[in-house]
Amino acid sequence: MSKWIGPVISCHEISKFYPVGDGLFALRDVDIGVEEGWFVAIMGPSGSGKSTLLNILGGIDRPSHGEVILKGRKFSRLSEDDLAIMRRTEIGMVFQFFNLLPELTAVENIGFPMRLAGYKDKEISERVQYLMNSVGLSDRQNHYPSELSGGEQQRVAICRALATRPSVVLADEPTGNLDSARSKEIMELFAKFNKEEKQTFIVATHDPSFLEYADLVLKLKDGEVVERSDKHGTLV
Amino acid sequence: MDFSKLAVTEIRRNPTRTRIAVIASALAAMIVILLRIIPEGYPLGIAMPERTYTGGDIVVFPAQTPLSSAEHSTLVLRDWQGSDWQSQILYYFPDIMNTGYLCKEASTGWRAMIPKDVLAAISDIPNIKSAYSYRALPCLITTDKAVVPAILRALDEQPAYPLEPYMEQPASFFSESSVIDREAIIPKQTKGLGDLKTGSTLYITIPEPKVVEFVSPNGSTSLHIGTDWEKAVEYSFAIKGKYSIQIGEEIDYEAWANSPDPQPPMIPLYWNRPEVLISSALFETIVQEMGASIDPTYLESFSWAFPTYQITLTVDSMSQMRETARLAREALGSDYGVYAVPEALYSTSSKGHVVMPPDLHKLFSGLIIGFSALVVAGNIYIIVVQQKRKIGLFRVVGATSKDILQYVLTMVAYVSLIGTCAGGLVGNLLYLFSLLGSDMEFGTWVSQALSDFGVIAGLSIAVSLGIGFAIAYWASRLPCSEVLSRE
């Protein structure tokens, strides 16, 4: 498999405009380039545009202006179905409220994107097993989401996002609904997979604890990137 | 993929909506199956007096009144130029005397029927047991008090349905010597004939019948039977008995208005057509005497069943009568009107045109299935609206619009299938009771039940899927940002 050279995901002059009232810019001229294996933290107050930026990077929402490029593929040239197919293998997403499918067990939830991507049963089984062991849920495999705690559900959601070994994992406030102990577990999991599987993580968060893992920290305010720094606070 | 499984699980997680949709499908399937009980089989009791009097189960007239609203040909309204004595059509469609009758432009129109042509056309149709030519001539009956216009009709010595139950005195039907003794049976209800005693002599004047060729509206030549009263002959018959056929009863409002009794007094209704019945053999003798001047070639063309303006068919199986009538209608084409007697009785609209029950059956079935499909689709729509967030999540993890289509359509198909199977089963079990009132064989019932079920299930699911597709398409176009926008 050929290795991608250059930013794994980048966006150029991204703007998102909502024509409500006098008009509202949720994002304005955002430029980001993220290399493979980076851990990026997007910080900012509520309403600063973090979620909008993640949606656009995940191909879930379209920018009003600008371009997103994932491994050389321009999102503007892809249909909704093309983007969905791309997300199967290239993008994993983690949400604040987990968003697991309640009718599927933990194992089935994790294997779901793999089935969509056409993996064979054996591959799915092995990968799911590995991930569940990695997050310490090997004894909760056949439990439904309603039978799991919040922290366990989020760990299952992380496993689902990682199942197809996507190039980029986008996480929107992944610890926003957890207590500090569970939040630390989740952060450590992100760091573990970032290190072990060289996956790129882009995490939108209020939680300053994520900074210690971040290669790049973006601070957003009113839809604009107002600061770029490394985890030590050095401006880049 | 797992979307079918997810769809079924989702359906089960919404028991109220699912139940409503399943019940709607089930009721639709059941009603459509049960609709068959009403139109398909005519138990013997229905329209029995009319069948007895008509002489069979299906009447064929030499002019078509369009039977089906599915008829797309150009139709024309023609004056009816017949006479009451020629057939019983005025009993079934009394308005045609004033309004005329609708028929295809190319139809021959009202004319004398050539029985062998009709028989040849219907000879391959199963379930036809026998055919009977209605033969009659106009006549005048002279009594001590009056001269009564009447119709002299030939009745089979062994009619399809026995007349005895309608005779005033039992065992007063034709005897073996009905020709020699010139036996006649008279209608008790006809005004002026009620006083005539059984065993007395009946004096009848019969005009000479004539065969006339004429050019039909479509340009073809056909035959008409005329009568010449100048050359009328008087015959005398022995009154063998009297008949009176009660076909129903109605409320006597006048008497009820003056009556303290809360129950309304009823007036019996009789088939009041002045038909004097003589045996076929005797009628044949009279026609030969009266029609001596008629060209034998004409008589031969009538196969000696002269004159014929109406043919009545009897069927082997009553439960197949509608289908038999349909086949006869197809076989005879637009030059003939074919009516099952119960249909003709109950289907004459106020304008004198016929509204065909099978069309209504199809229409009702279609409406019921369409309505149930709307209920199914409506409930699925509500489920889908409730699941917008989940559909967004599907999209986020990589589901394409095709996957969402599959998800929603599986829900629709599942609900329709369960409902239709349940309704089909119950409907067919109830339909089983229809066997009690008909002569349908069990094997026929099974094949009809299975074919009904196949058609209804197929239609129901197809219509539901058709409507459901619109919902599925809408769902497949939902923006996947839906899931995050609700975070």
Side-chain angles (χ1 to χ4, degrees):
Chain A
M1 196 165 80
S2 61
K3 187 170 170 60
W4 175 255
I5 299 170
V8 64
I9 188 165
S10 60
C11 61
H12 306 277
E13 296 179 353
I14 288 290
S15 294
K16 182 68 181 179
F17 178 76
Y18 292 104
V20 288
D22 296 334
L24 172 71
F25 274 98
L27 286 177
R28 195 191 291 265
D29 297 330
V30 175
D31 278 293
I32 308 172
V34 179
E35 301 289 336
E36 187 180 6
W38 280 16
F39 195 112
V40 180
I42 302 174
M43 311 285 287
S46 292
S48 59
K50 302 188 298 292
S51 294
T52 306
L53 179 58
L54 282 189
N55 285 356
I56 289 173
L57 290 175
I60 291 168
D61 206 352
R62 300 268 190 182
S64 308
H65 177 264
E67 182 67 271
V68 180
I69 303 172
L70 178 80
K71 287 187 167 178
R73 298 175 78 186
K74 292 182 175 178
F75 282 16
S76 61
R77 294 186 183 172
L78 300 177
S79 68
E80 291 299 321
D81 279 349
D82 291 337
L83 286 170
I85 291 165
M86 188 193 71
R87 276 195 295 271
R88 290 176 181 175
T89 52
E90 298 294 349
I91 296 173
M93 298 201 78
V94 181
F95 306 101
Q96 181 179 353
F97 293 103
F98 328 131
N99 280 325
L100 298 175
L101 293 167
E103 56 271 61
L104 301 183
T105 62
V107 166
E108 289 169 335
N109 261 293
I110 297 168
F112 191 69
M114 296 185 79
R115 291 196 180 284
L116 279 176
Y119 283 79
K120 289 176 183 163
D121 284 349
K122 192 177 173 217
E123 289 174 291
I124 294 171
S125 172
E126 285 172 1
R127 177 69 175 161
V128 170
Q129 206 59 52
Y130 166 74
L131 288 169
M132 291 211 80
N133 290 338
S134 302
V135 300
L137 286 177
S138 50
D139 58 337
R140 312 288 272 166
Q141 294 184 16
N142 293 317
H143 287 239
Y144 288 93
S146 58
E147 298 164 345
L148 300 173
S149 69
E152 287 170 332
Q153 287 190 55
Q154 193 60 302
R155 279 186 273 167
V156 172
I158 291 168
C159 291
R160 181 180 67 188
L162 294 165
T164 57
R165 296 185 183 84
S167 306
V168 180
V169 175
L170 304 170
D172 190 6
E173 302 281 6
T175 57
N177 203 32
L178 301 175
D179 60 35
S180 55
R182 301 285 88 77
S183 295
K184 185 156 178 59
E185 282 176 19
I186 297 301
M187 281 186 276
E188 282 169 358
L189 272 178
F190 278 15
K192 169 180 153 80
F193 284 110
N194 175 238
K195 192 175 173 186
E196 286 178 2
E197 302 205 344
K198 300 289 180 206
Q199 276 159 330
T200 304
F201 280 76
I202 302 176
V203 182
T205 182
H206 283 103
D207 189 346
S209 315
F210 269 102
L211 293 179
E212 79 176 90
Y213 305 102
D215 299 303
L216 175 65
V217 180
L218 298 173
K219 285 192 178 162
L220 284 181
K221 189 180 176 189
D222 297 332
E224 292 184 79
V225 178
V226 292
E227 188 181 311
R228 293 164 195 260
S229 59
D230 62 16
K231 57 186 167 188
H232 306 297
T234 309
L235 296 177
V236 292
Chain B
M1 189 37 235
D2 287 311
F3 284 101
S4 301
K5 181 187 165 190
L6 284 170
V8 173
T9 313
E10 191 57 55
I11 280 290
R12 287 181 178 158
R13 280 160 51 90
N14 281 275
T16 309
R17 302 258 162 239
T18 304
R19 263 183 222 139
I20 292 171
V22 166
I23 288 170
S25 287
L27 278 177
M30 199 171 80
I31 292 169
V32 170
I33 286 172
L34 291 179
L35 273 179
R36 291 206 72 152
I37 293 175
I38 301 162
E40 188 61 31
Y42 295 112
L44 268 175
I46 293 183
M48 196 61 218
E50 285 82 359
R51 287 191 210 179
T52 303
Y53 201 56
T54 303
D57 307 308
I58 297 169
V59 281
V60 182
F61 297 119
Q64 183 202 39
T65 292
L67 282 168
S68 169
S69 56
E71 182 64 72
H72 296 302
S73 312
T74 310
L75 302 172
V76 291
L77 188 63
R78 286 193 188 147
D79 289 338
W80 181 68
Q81 293 173 322
S83 301
D84 192 22
W85 61 266
Q86 293 169 345
S87 74
Q88 297 170 320
I89 194 166
L90 287 180
Y91 175 77
Y92 294 109
F93 310 115
D95 289 346
I96 67 164
M97 176 103 86
N98 305 315
T99 61
Y101 62 96
L102 275 173
C103 64
K104 285 186 182 176
E105 214 166 9
S107 297
T108 308
W110 190 259
R111 68 204 179 280
M113 290 167 82
I114 307 297
K116 64 182 177 191
D117 292 349
V118 175
L119 297 182
I122 62 173
S123 60
D124 292 337
I125 297 174
N127 195 39
I128 291 180
K129 185 180 181 182
S130 60
Y132 153 74
S133 280
Y134 176 89
R135 290 187 293 157
L137 285 172
C139 64
L140 292 172
I141 298 173
T142 307
T143 67
D144 295 342
K145 297 172 184 169
V147 175
V148 182
I151 297 162
L152 185 69
R153 172 184 168 187
L155 191 71
D156 269 2
E157 286 80 354
Q158 291 181 324
Y161 297 110
L163 197 67
E164 277 90 336
Y166 302 98
M167 300 295 290
E168 191 181 44
Q169 293 171 335
S172 55
F173 199 59
F174 298 127
S175 67
E176 285 181 1
S177 58
S178 65
V179 178
I180 297 165
D181 295 343
R182 290 184 171 261
E183 291 173 352
I185 298 171
I186 62 168
K188 187 184 172 189
Q189 303 305 325
T190 301
K191 202 175 174 184
L193 302 185
D195 294 339
L196 294 174
K197 300 268 187 281
T198 299
S200 63
T201 304
L202 183 71
Y203 297 100
I204 296 184
T205 307
I206 304 169
E208 184 182 291
K210 289 183 174 302
V211 179
V212 185
E213 278 190 7
F214 79 111
V215 179
S216 297
N218 69 350
S220 65
T221 304
S222 53
L223 302 178
H224 245 303
I225 314 298
T227 51
D228 185 353
W229 284 95
E230 297 289 323
K231 296 180 180 172
V233 176
E234 187 173 279
Y235 282 86
S236 62
F237 297 89
I239 299 176
K240 176 72 175 164
K242 297 181 189 176
Y243 69 89
S244 95
I245 298 179
Q246 186 179 342
I247 53 173
E249 54 185 12
E250 65 177 12
I251 297 172
D252 184 347
Y253 287 101
E254 203 173 315
W256 196 18
N258 303 317
S259 162
D261 193 346
Q263 290 297 319
M266 307 301 287
I267 308 172
L269 293 176
Y270 293 94
W271 184 313
N272 191 14
R273 188 174 153 86
E275 287 189 357
V276 173
L277 309 175
I278 59 173
S279 69
S280 291
L282 180 55
F283 188 88
E284 192 62 49
T285 310
I286 292 170
V287 165
Q288 282 179 14
E289 289 168 12
M290 297 289 301
S293 62
I294 298 174
D295 185 341
T297 24
Y298 285 141
L299 293 177
E300 201 172 329
S301 69
F302 281 102
S303 314
W304 304 100
F306 173 88
T308 298
Y309 278 86
Q310 170 184 324
I311 286 175
T312 310
L313 309 174
T314 49
V315 296
D316 282 318
S317 169
M318 212 59 67
S319 57
Q320 299 298 310
M321 184 153 78
R322 177 181 297 277
E323 177 64 5
T324 309
R326 187 186 69 77
L327 291 172
R329 197 171 294 129
E330 273 180 14
L332 290 168
S334 62
D335 274 347
Y336 296 89
V338 181
Y339 311 88
V341 168
E343 274 176 12
L345 275 177
Y346 297 117
S347 60
T348 309
S349 74
S350 58
K351 290 183 179 173
H353 305 301
V354 174
V355 180
M356 188 62 175
D359 282 347
L360 293 179
H361 177 239
K362 283 177 191 162
L363 178 70
F364 285 142
S365 303
L367 285 175
I368 290 165
I369 288 175
F371 179 74
S372 82
L374 280 176
V375 174
V376 170
N379 280 281
I380 297 295
Y381 173 75
I382 293 170
I383 292 174
V384 169
V385 166
Q386 289 168 343
Q387 299 304 314
K388 276 165 85 174
R389 187 160 162 265
K390 182 183 284 179
I391 289 170
L393 181 63
F394 288 157
R395 299 287 272 161
V396 167
V397 295
T400 60
S401 45
K402 197 175 145 194
D403 295 325
I404 306 300
L405 276 174
Q406 182 193 344
Y407 177 68
V408 178
L409 289 177
T410 304
M411 286 195 223
V412 177
Y414 181 81
V415 168
S416 286
L417 189 67
I418 298 285
T420 308
C421 285
L425 186 69
V426 175
N428 275 319
L429 285 175
L430 292 175
Y431 184 37
L432 192 58
F433 286 104
S434 68
L435 281 176
L436 302 174
S438 82
D439 55 356
M440 189 189 290
E441 290 173 7
F442 184 70
T444 313
W445 176 86
V446 169
S447 82
Q448 202 172 69
L450 287 176
S451 91
D452 265 6
F453 177 71
V455 170
I456 291 165
L459 267 178
S460 180
I461 293 168
V463 173
S464 295
L465 285 178
I467 300 174
F469 186 81
I471 298 167
Y473 183 79
W474 167 78
S476 74
R477 291 288 178 269
L478 280 174
C480 54
S481 55
E482 191 78 30
V483 64
L484 291 181
S485 67
R486 289 168 184 244
E487 279 288 303

